[in-house]
CSV table of all heavy atoms in Angstrom, one decimal:
chain,number,residue,atom,x,y,z
K,397,ASN,N,-20.0,9.3,16.5
K,397,ASN,CA,-18.6,8.8,16.7
K,397,ASN,C,-17.7,9.9,17.0
K,397,ASN,O,-16.5,9.7,17.4
K,397,ASN,CB,-18.0,8.0,15.5
K,397,ASN,CG,-18.7,6.6,15.3
K,397,ASN,OD1,-19.4,6.2,16.3
K,397,ASN,ND2,-18.6,6.0,14.1
K,398,GLY,N,-18.0,11.1,16.8
K,398,GLY,CA,-17.2,12.3,17.0
K,398,GLY,C,-16.2,12.4,15.9
K,398,GLY,O,-15.0,12.9,16.1
K,399,GLU,N,-16.5,11.9,14.7
K,399,GLU,CA,-15.6,12.0,13.5
K,399,GLU,C,-16.3,12.4,12.3
K,399,GLU,O,-16.9,11.7,11.8
K,399,GLU,CB,-14.8,10.7,13.3
K,399,GLU,CG,-14.1,10.1,14.6
K,399,GLU,CD,-13.6,8.6,14.2
K,399,GLU,OE1,-14.4,7.8,14.2
K,399,GLU,OE2,-12.4,8.5,13.9
K,400,VAL,N,-16.3,13.7,12.1
K,400,VAL,CA,-17.2,14.2,11.1
K,400,VAL,C,-16.5,14.9,9.9
K,400,VAL,O,-17.1,15.2,8.9
K,400,VAL,CB,-18.1,15.3,11.7
K,400,VAL,CG1,-18.9,14.9,12.8
K,400,VAL,CG2,-17.3,16.5,12.3
K,401,ASP,N,-15.1,14.8,9.9
K,401,ASP,CA,-14.4,15.5,8.7
K,401,ASP,C,-14.5,14.4,7.5
K,401,ASP,O,-14.4,13.1,7.7
K,401,ASP,CB,-12.9,15.6,9.2
K,401,ASP,CG,-12.7,16.7,10.0
K,401,ASP,OD1,-13.5,17.6,9.9
K,401,ASP,OD2,-11.6,16.8,10.7
K,402,GLY,N,-14.6,14.9,6.3
K,402,GLY,CA,-14.4,14.2,5.1
K,402,GLY,C,-15.9,14.0,4.4
K,402,GLY,O,-16.8,14.5,4.8
K,403,PHE,N,-15.7,13.3,3.3
K,403,PHE,CA,-16.9,13.1,2.5
K,403,PHE,C,-16.7,12.0,1.6
K,403,PHE,O,-15.6,11.4,1.4
K,403,PHE,CB,-17.1,14.3,1.7
K,403,PHE,CG,-15.9,14.8,0.7
K,403,PHE,CD1,-15.7,14.3,-0.5
K,403,PHE,CD2,-15.0,15.6,1.3
K,403,PHE,CE1,-14.6,14.6,-1.3
K,403,PHE,CE2,-13.8,16.0,0.5
K,403,PHE,CZ,-13.7,15.5,-0.7
K,404,VAL,N,-17.8,11.5,0.8
K,404,VAL,CA,-17.7,10.6,-0.2
K,404,VAL,C,-18.0,11.2,-1.5
K,404,VAL,O,-18.9,12.1,-1.6
K,404,VAL,CB,-18.8,9.4,0.0
K,404,VAL,CG1,-18.8,8.5,-1.1
K,404,VAL,CG2,-18.5,8.6,1.3
K,405,LYS,N,-17.2,10.9,-2.5
K,405,LYS,CA,-17.4,11.5,-3.9
K,405,LYS,C,-17.6,10.3,-4.9
K,405,LYS,O,-16.8,9.5,-4.9
K,405,LYS,CB,-16.1,12.3,-4.2
K,405,LYS,CG,-16.1,12.9,-5.6
K,405,LYS,CD,-14.9,13.7,-6.0
K,405,LYS,CE,-14.8,14.4,-7.3
K,405,LYS,NZ,-13.7,15.2,-7.5
K,406,ILE,N,-18.6,10.5,-5.6
K,406,ILE,CA,-19.0,9.5,-6.7
K,406,ILE,C,-18.8,10.1,-8.1
K,406,ILE,O,-19.5,11.1,-8.2
K,406,ILE,CB,-20.2,8.7,-6.5
K,406,ILE,CG1,-20.1,7.9,-5.1
K,406,ILE,CG2,-20.6,7.8,-7.6
K,406,ILE,CD1,-21.3,7.1,-4.8
K,407,ILE,N,-18.0,9.6,-9.0
K,407,ILE,CA,-17.9,10.0,-10.3
K,407,ILE,C,-18.5,9.1,-11.3
K,407,ILE,O,-18.4,7.8,-11.2
K,407,ILE,CB,-16.4,10.2,-10.7
K,407,ILE,CG1,-15.7,11.1,-9.8
K,407,ILE,CG2,-16.4,10.8,-12.2
K,407,ILE,CD1,-14.2,10.9,-9.7
K,408,SER,N,-19.5,9.6,-12.1
K,408,SER,CA,-20.3,8.7,-13.2
K,408,SER,C,-20.2,9.2,-14.4
K,408,SER,O,-20.0,10.5,-14.6
K,408,SER,CB,-21.8,8.7,-12.6
K,408,SER,OG,-22.5,7.9,-13.3
K,409,ASP,N,-20.4,8.5,-15.4
K,409,ASP,CA,-20.4,8.9,-16.9
K,409,ASP,C,-21.7,9.5,-17.0
K,409,ASP,O,-22.9,8.8,-16.8
K,409,ASP,CB,-20.1,7.6,-17.7
K,409,ASP,CG,-20.0,8.2,-19.2
K,409,ASP,OD1,-21.1,8.5,-19.8
K,409,ASP,OD2,-18.9,8.1,-19.7
K,410,ALA,N,-21.8,10.7,-17.5
K,410,ALA,CA,-23.2,11.4,-17.7
K,410,ALA,C,-24.0,10.8,-18.8
K,410,ALA,O,-25.2,10.9,-18.9
K,410,ALA,CB,-22.9,12.9,-18.1
K,411,LYS,N,-23.3,10.1,-19.8
K,411,LYS,CA,-24.0,9.4,-20.9
K,411,LYS,C,-24.5,8.0,-20.7
K,411,LYS,O,-25.7,7.6,-20.9
K,411,LYS,CB,-23.3,9.5,-22.2
K,411,LYS,CG,-22.9,10.8,-22.7
K,411,LYS,CD,-22.0,10.8,-24.0
K,411,LYS,CE,-21.7,12.3,-24.5
K,411,LYS,NZ,-20.8,12.3,-25.7
K,412,THR,N,-23.6,7.2,-20.1
K,412,THR,CA,-24.0,5.9,-19.8
K,412,THR,C,-24.4,5.5,-18.5
K,412,THR,O,-25.0,4.5,-18.2
K,412,THR,CB,-22.6,4.9,-20.1
K,412,THR,OG1,-21.7,5.3,-19.1
K,412,THR,CG2,-22.2,5.2,-21.6
K,413,ASN,N,-24.2,6.4,-17.5
K,413,ASN,CA,-24.4,6.3,-16.1
K,413,ASN,C,-23.6,5.3,-15.4
K,413,ASN,O,-23.7,4.9,-14.1
K,413,ASN,CB,-25.8,5.9,-15.8
K,413,ASN,CG,-26.8,7.0,-16.2
K,413,ASN,OD1,-26.6,8.2,-15.8
K,413,ASN,ND2,-28.0,6.7,-16.7
K,414,ASP,N,-22.5,4.8,-16.1
K,414,ASP,CA,-21.5,3.9,-15.5
K,414,ASP,C,-20.7,4.6,-14.4
K,414,ASP,O,-20.4,5.7,-14.5
K,414,ASP,CB,-20.5,3.4,-16.5
K,414,ASP,CG,-21.2,2.5,-17.5
K,414,ASP,OD1,-22.3,1.9,-17.2
K,414,ASP,OD2,-20.7,2.2,-18.6
K,415,LEU,N,-20.5,3.8,-13.3
K,415,LEU,CA,-19.7,4.2,-12.2
K,415,LEU,C,-18.2,4.5,-12.8
K,415,LEU,O,-17.7,3.4,-13.3
K,415,LEU,CB,-19.6,3.4,-11.0
K,415,LEU,CG,-20.8,3.4,-10.1
K,415,LEU,CD1,-20.6,2.5,-9.0
K,415,LEU,CD2,-21.0,4.8,-9.5
K,416,LEU,N,-17.5,5.5,-12.5
K,416,LEU,CA,-16.1,5.6,-13.0
K,416,LEU,C,-15.2,5.7,-11.8
K,416,LEU,O,-14.0,5.1,-11.9
K,416,LEU,CB,-16.0,6.9,-13.8
K,416,LEU,CG,-16.8,7.1,-15.1
K,416,LEU,CD1,-16.6,8.5,-15.7
K,416,LEU,CD2,-16.4,5.9,-16.1
K,417,GLY,N,-15.6,6.1,-10.7
K,417,GLY,CA,-14.7,6.3,-9.5
K,417,GLY,C,-15.4,6.5,-8.3
K,417,GLY,O,-16.5,7.3,-8.3
K,418,VAL,N,-15.1,6.0,-7.2
K,418,VAL,CA,-15.5,6.3,-5.8
K,418,VAL,C,-14.4,6.6,-5.0
K,418,VAL,O,-13.5,5.9,-4.9
K,418,VAL,CB,-16.4,5.2,-5.3
K,418,VAL,CG1,-16.9,5.4,-3.9
K,418,VAL,CG2,-17.6,4.8,-6.2
K,419,HIS,N,-14.4,7.8,-4.4
K,419,HIS,CA,-13.3,8.3,-3.5
K,419,HIS,C,-14.0,8.8,-2.2
K,419,HIS,O,-14.9,9.6,-2.1
K,419,HIS,CB,-12.7,9.5,-4.3
K,419,HIS,CG,-12.2,9.2,-5.6
K,419,HIS,ND1,-11.0,8.6,-6.0
K,419,HIS,CD2,-12.9,9.3,-6.8
K,419,HIS,CE1,-10.9,8.3,-7.2
K,419,HIS,NE2,-12.2,8.7,-7.7
K,420,MET,N,-13.2,8.4,-1.2
K,420,MET,CA,-13.7,8.7,0.2
K,420,MET,C,-12.6,9.2,1.0
K,420,MET,O,-11.5,8.7,1.0
K,420,MET,CB,-14.2,7.5,0.9
K,420,MET,CG,-15.3,6.7,0.0
K,420,MET,SD,-15.8,5.3,1.2
K,420,MET,CE,-16.7,4.3,-0.1
K,421,ILE,N,-12.9,10.1,1.9
K,421,ILE,CA,-12.0,10.5,3.1
K,421,ILE,C,-12.9,10.7,4.3
K,421,ILE,O,-14.0,11.4,4.2
K,421,ILE,CB,-11.2,11.8,2.6
K,421,ILE,CG1,-10.2,12.1,3.8
K,421,ILE,CG2,-12.1,12.9,2.3
K,421,ILE,CD1,-9.2,13.3,3.5
K,422,GLY,N,-12.4,9.9,5.4
K,422,GLY,CA,-13.2,10.2,6.6
K,422,GLY,C,-13.2,8.8,7.5
K,422,GLY,O,-12.2,7.9,7.2
K,423,PRO,N,-13.9,8.7,8.5
K,423,PRO,CA,-13.9,7.7,9.4
K,423,PRO,C,-14.1,6.2,8.7
K,423,PRO,O,-15.2,6.2,8.1
K,423,PRO,CB,-14.8,8.0,10.4
K,423,PRO,CG,-15.8,8.8,9.7
K,423,PRO,CD,-15.0,9.6,8.7
K,424,HIS,N,-13.2,5.3,8.8
K,424,HIS,CA,-13.4,3.8,8.6
K,424,HIS,C,-13.7,3.7,7.0
K,424,HIS,O,-14.3,2.6,6.7
K,424,HIS,CB,-14.6,3.3,9.3
K,424,HIS,CG,-14.4,3.4,10.9
K,424,HIS,ND1,-13.5,2.6,11.5
K,424,HIS,CD2,-15.0,4.2,11.8
K,424,HIS,CE1,-13.5,2.9,13.0
K,424,HIS,NE2,-14.4,3.9,13.0
K,425,VAL,N,-13.4,4.6,6.3
K,425,VAL,CA,-13.6,4.4,4.8
K,425,VAL,C,-12.8,3.3,4.1
K,425,VAL,O,-13.2,2.7,3.1
K,425,VAL,CB,-13.3,5.6,4.0
K,425,VAL,CG1,-14.2,6.9,4.4
K,425,VAL,CG2,-11.8,6.2,4.1
K,426,THR,N,-11.6,3.0,4.7
K,426,THR,CA,-10.9,1.7,4.3
K,426,THR,C,-11.6,0.4,4.4
K,426,THR,O,-11.6,-0.6,3.7
K,426,THR,CB,-9.5,1.5,4.9
K,426,THR,OG1,-9.8,1.4,6.2
K,426,THR,CG2,-8.7,2.9,4.6
K,427,ASP,N,-12.7,0.5,5.3
K,427,ASP,CA,-13.5,-0.8,5.6
K,427,ASP,C,-14.8,-0.7,4.6
K,427,ASP,O,-15.4,-1.7,4.3
K,427,ASP,CB,-14.1,-0.9,7.1
K,427,ASP,CG,-12.8,-1.1,8.0
K,427,ASP,OD1,-12.1,-2.0,7.6
K,427,ASP,OD2,-12.8,-0.4,9.0
K,428,MET,N,-15.1,0.5,4.2
K,428,MET,CA,-16.4,0.7,3.4
K,428,MET,C,-16.2,0.6,2.0
K,428,MET,O,-17.1,0.5,1.1
K,428,MET,CB,-17.0,2.1,3.7
K,428,MET,CG,-17.4,2.3,5.2
K,428,MET,SD,-18.3,3.6,5.8
K,428,MET,CE,-18.1,4.9,4.5
K,429,ILE,N,-14.9,0.7,1.5
K,429,ILE,CA,-14.7,0.9,-0.1
K,429,ILE,C,-15.0,-0.3,-0.6
K,429,ILE,O,-15.3,-0.3,-2.0
K,429,ILE,CB,-13.1,1.2,-0.2
K,429,ILE,CG1,-13.0,1.7,-1.6
K,429,ILE,CG2,-12.3,0.0,0.1
K,429,ILE,CD1,-13.7,3.0,-2.1
K,430,SER,N,-15.1,-1.6,0.0
K,430,SER,CA,-15.4,-2.8,-0.7
K,430,SER,C,-16.8,-2.8,-1.3
K,430,SER,O,-17.1,-3.4,-2.4
K,430,SER,CB,-15.4,-3.9,0.2
K,430,SER,OG,-14.0,-4.1,0.7
K,431,GLU,N,-17.7,-2.0,-0.7
K,431,GLU,CA,-19.1,-1.8,-1.3
K,431,GLU,C,-18.9,-1.2,-2.8
K,431,GLU,O,-19.5,-1.7,-3.8
K,431,GLU,CB,-20.0,-1.0,-0.5
K,431,GLU,CG,-21.3,-0.8,-1.1
K,431,GLU,CD,-22.3,0.0,-0.5
K,431,GLU,OE1,-21.8,0.4,0.8
K,431,GLU,OE2,-23.2,0.7,-1.0
K,432,ALA,N,-18.1,-0.1,-2.8
K,432,ALA,CA,-17.8,0.5,-4.1
K,432,ALA,C,-17.2,-0.5,-5.1
K,432,ALA,O,-17.5,-0.5,-6.2
K,432,ALA,CB,-17.1,1.7,-3.9
K,433,GLY,N,-16.2,-1.2,-4.6
K,433,GLY,CA,-15.5,-2.1,-5.4
K,433,GLY,C,-16.5,-3.1,-6.0
K,433,GLY,O,-16.4,-3.4,-7.3
K,434,LEU,N,-17.4,-3.6,-5.2
K,434,LEU,CA,-18.3,-4.7,-5.8
K,434,LEU,C,-19.3,-4.0,-6.8
K,434,LEU,O,-19.6,-4.7,-7.8
K,434,LEU,CB,-19.1,-5.3,-4.6
K,434,LEU,CG,-20.2,-6.3,-5.0
K,434,LEU,CD1,-19.5,-7.5,-5.6
K,434,LEU,CD2,-20.9,-6.8,-3.7
K,435,ALA,N,-19.8,-2.8,-6.4
K,435,ALA,CA,-20.5,-2.1,-7.4
K,435,ALA,C,-19.9,-1.9,-8.8
K,435,ALA,O,-20.6,-2.1,-9.8
K,435,ALA,CB,-21.0,-0.8,-6.9
K,436,MET,N,-18.6,-1.6,-8.8
K,436,MET,CA,-18.0,-1.4,-10.0
K,436,MET,C,-17.7,-2.9,-10.8
K,436,MET,O,-17.9,-2.8,-12.0
K,436,MET,CB,-16.6,-0.7,-9.9
K,436,MET,CG,-16.7,0.7,-9.4
K,436,MET,SD,-15.4,1.7,-9.5
K,436,MET,CE,-15.1,1.8,-11.3
K,437,LEU,N,-17.4,-3.8,-10.0
K,437,LEU,CA,-17.3,-5.2,-10.6
K,437,LEU,C,-18.6,-5.7,-11.3
K,437,LEU,O,-18.6,-6.2,-12.4
K,437,LEU,CB,-16.9,-6.2,-9.5
K,437,LEU,CG,-16.7,-7.6,-10.0
K,437,LEU,CD1,-15.6,-7.8,-10.9
K,437,LEU,CD2,-16.5,-8.5,-8.8
K,438,LEU,N,-19.6,-5.3,-10.6
K,438,LEU,CA,-21.0,-5.7,-11.2
K,438,LEU,C,-21.6,-4.8,-12.1
K,438,LEU,O,-22.8,-4.8,-12.7
K,438,LEU,CB,-21.9,-6.0,-10.0
K,438,LEU,CG,-21.6,-7.1,-9.0
K,438,LEU,CD1,-22.6,-7.2,-7.9
K,438,LEU,CD2,-21.4,-8.4,-9.7
K,439,ASP,N,-20.8,-3.8,-12.5
K,439,ASP,CA,-21.2,-2.7,-13.5
K,439,ASP,C,-22.4,-2.0,-13.0
K,439,ASP,O,-23.4,-1.6,-13.9
K,439,ASP,CB,-21.4,-3.4,-14.9
K,439,ASP,CG,-21.3,-2.2,-15.9
K,439,ASP,OD1,-20.7,-1.1,-15.7
K,439,ASP,OD2,-21.8,-2.4,-17.0
K,440,ALA,N,-22.6,-1.7,-11.8
K,440,ALA,CA,-23.7,-1.0,-11.2
K,440,ALA,C,-23.7,0.6,-11.6
K,440,ALA,O,-22.5,1.0,-11.8
K,440,ALA,CB,-23.9,-1.2,-9.7
K,441,THR,N,-24.9,1.1,-11.6
K,441,THR,CA,-24.9,2.5,-11.9
K,441,THR,C,-24.9,3.3,-10.4
K,441,THR,O,-25.3,2.7,-9.5
K,441,THR,CB,-26.1,3.0,-12.7
K,441,THR,OG1,-27.3,2.7,-12.0
K,441,THR,CG2,-26.2,2.2,-14.1
K,442,ALA,N,-24.7,4.6,-10.5
K,442,ALA,CA,-24.8,5.4,-9.2
K,442,ALA,C,-26.3,5.2,-8.7
K,442,ALA,O,-26.6,5.1,-7.5
K,442,ALA,CB,-24.5,6.8,-9.4
K,443,TRP,N,-27.3,5.3,-9.6
K,443,TRP,CA,-28.8,5.1,-9.2
K,443,TRP,C,-29.0,3.8,-8.5
K,443,TRP,O,-29.6,3.8,-7.5
K,443,TRP,CB,-29.6,5.2,-10.4
K,443,TRP,CG,-31.1,5.0,-10.1
K,443,TRP,CD1,-32.0,5.9,-9.5
K,443,TRP,CD2,-31.7,3.7,-10.3
K,443,TRP,NE1,-33.2,5.3,-9.5
K,443,TRP,CE2,-33.2,3.9,-9.6
K,443,TRP,CE3,-31.4,2.4,-10.6
K,443,TRP,CZ2,-34.1,3.0,-9.6
K,443,TRP,CZ3,-32.6,1.4,-10.5
K,443,TRP,CH2,-33.8,1.7,-10.0
K,444,GLU,N,-28.3,2.7,-8.9
K,444,GLU,CA,-28.5,1.4,-8.3
K,444,GLU,C,-27.8,1.3,-7.0
K,444,GLU,O,-28.5,0.8,-6.0
K,444,GLU,CB,-27.9,0.2,-9.2
K,444,GLU,CG,-28.8,0.0,-10.4
K,444,GLU,CD,-28.0,-0.9,-11.4
K,444,GLU,OE1,-26.9,-0.8,-11.6
K,444,GLU,OE2,-28.8,-1.9,-12.0
K,445,VAL,N,-26.7,2.0,-6.8
K,445,VAL,CA,-26.1,2.1,-5.4
K,445,VAL,C,-27.0,2.9,-4.5
K,445,VAL,O,-27.2,2.7,-3.4
K,445,VAL,CB,-24.7,2.8,-5.6
K,445,VAL,CG1,-24.0,3.0,-4.2
K,445,VAL,CG2,-23.8,1.9,-6.4
K,446,GLY,N,-27.6,4.1,-5.1
K,446,GLY,CA,-28.3,4.8,-4.3
K,446,GLY,C,-29.6,4.4,-3.8
K,446,GLY,O,-30.0,4.5,-2.6
K,447,VAL,N,-30.2,3.5,-4.6
K,447,VAL,CA,-31.6,3.0,-4.3
K,447,VAL,C,-31.4,1.6,-3.4
K,447,VAL,O,-32.3,1.2,-2.7
K,447,VAL,CB,-32.5,2.7,-5.4
K,447,VAL,CG1,-32.9,3.9,-6.0
K,447,VAL,CG2,-31.8,1.6,-6.4
Side-chain angles (χ1 to χ4, degrees):
N397 290 349
E399 299 174 286
V400 297
D401 286 334
F403 57 90
V404 175
K405 176 178 180 178
I406 295 183
I407 303 160
S408 180
D409 187 289
K411 295 180 180 178
T412 66
N413 291 319
D414 289 339
L415 285 178
L416 300 176
V418 179
H419 306 269
M420 310 182 193
I421 178 169
H424 304 288
V425 296
T426 60
D427 295 311
M428 297 184 349
I429 194 62
S430 293
E431 176 186 347
L434 180 60
M436 294 194 69
L437 177 66
L438 298 179
D439 201 21
T441 65
W443 176 82
E444 289 170 321
V445 174
V447 298

